[in-house]
Amino acid sequence: MNISPLAVVHPEARLGQDVTVDPFVVIERDVVIGDGCHIHPHAVIRDGARIGKHCEIFPGAVIAGIPQDLKFKGETTTAEIGDYTTIRECATVNRGTASKGRTVVGNHCLIMAYSHVAHDCVVKDFVIIGNASQIAGEVEIDDYAIVSGGTLIHQFTRISKHVMIQGGSRIGKDIPPYTLVGRDPITYCGINIVGLRRRGFTNAQVFLIQDIYRTLYTRGLNNSEALKAIETEYEPCEERDLILNFIKTSKRGIVRGSIDEI
């Protein structure tokens, strides 16, 4: 390990092999940091942080800060960061509350500067959160979602896989898989074709997803009618089933369709 003598590292903190800790870092007692991590100057790693392997925490970031939730009573909780994840300058990831007990950021994620991930959020793998985005408590963001800069996400909202959110958006409804959303107020703007092609989706898969969303948003059906039509008109497959299950289990309701398309 390469630990600067100007860093403050609690002797009971557990650091893996080949960890670099730069000057003016603070690492508290109940902390676990995996092999090969780099903690940059002025980062603060607080009690309850669990950081995986080969992560990079940039200056001013705070991991496992106390939740900004008045219901928090000092219970023992964690903020868990997966492997190969980068937390940029002044980003904050709060630890959990009694609600779920932990906040999770997955593997290979990029949390850009000045972003905030609040208590009890679950951010899964390969997610990108743009600069200055603010993620409220108990939000769920699924694999490969991209949240562009300056986005505000209401608590308890769910964002599904392979979603692309326009910068500056205000998200108060659930965002179904494979979609591109933006405008103000937030609306469905099509599917995330560029992202899907980059991740190896075939033309047949892309066309199927497009067709399912035409049924949902452009045929003049309400959600119940659209779900029934999707179930009866399309053969079961991973893409169809993911869309159906997400919409059926949505508690906040899904983003509305674009007026231009309707």
Side-chain angles (χ1 to χ4, degrees), residues 198-226:
R198 286 176 178 171
R199 294 170 203 131
F201 281 70
T202 65
N203 286 338
Q205 288 173 303
V206 170
F207 295 153
L208 172 64
I209 293 166
Q210 283 180 318
D211 209 40
I212 290 173
Y213 279 111
R214 289 191 189 102
T215 299
L216 179 64
Y217 283 119
T218 68
R219 283 174 50 176
L221 306 174
N222 64 35
N223 277 357
S224 297
E225 294 168 339

Side-chain angles (χ1 to χ4, degrees), residues 5 9 26 39 54 113 119 122 132 145 168 181 183 218 238 242 257:
V9 180
V26 175
I39 315 298
H54 303 289
H119 63 89
V122 177
V181 297
R183 303 179 184 173
T218 68
E238 181 178 351
L242 179 61

Side-chain angles (χ1 to χ4, degrees), residues 20-26 37-45 55-61 86-89:
T20 298
V21 180
D22 287 341
F24 312 115
V25 166
V26 175
C37 289
H38 185 177
I39 315 298
H40 288 258
H42 299 284
V44 178
I45 316 299
C55 292
E56 197 163 4
I57 313 297
F58 276 75
T86 298
I87 312 290
R88 292 302 304 254
E89 294 83 356

Side-chain angles (χ1 to χ4, degrees), residues 228-240:
K228 185 175 181 180
I230 292 167
E231 284 184 306
T232 57
E233 295 175 17
Y234 300 91
E235 293 294 326
C237 65
E238 181 178 351
E239 293 77 28
R240 188 209 76 155

Side-chain angles (χ1 to χ4, degrees), residues 8-15 26-33 44-50 63-64 74 76-77 95:
V8 178
V9 180
H10 195 284
E12 295 182 31
R14 290 170 283 171
L15 277 60
V26 175
I27 299 177
E28 297 184 343
R29 181 185 64 82
D30 182 21
V31 168
V32 178
I33 299 177
V44 178
I45 316 299
R46 307 209 62 185
D47 286 335
R50 304 288 184 265
I63 309 299
T76 299
T77 57
R95 59 188 175 98

Side-chain angles (χ1 to χ4, degrees), residues 62-76:
V62 180
I63 309 299
I66 291 172
Q68 300 174 93
D69 185 338
L70 296 177
K71 298 188 297 298
F72 180 71
K73 302 301 181 185
E75 54 266 29
T76 299

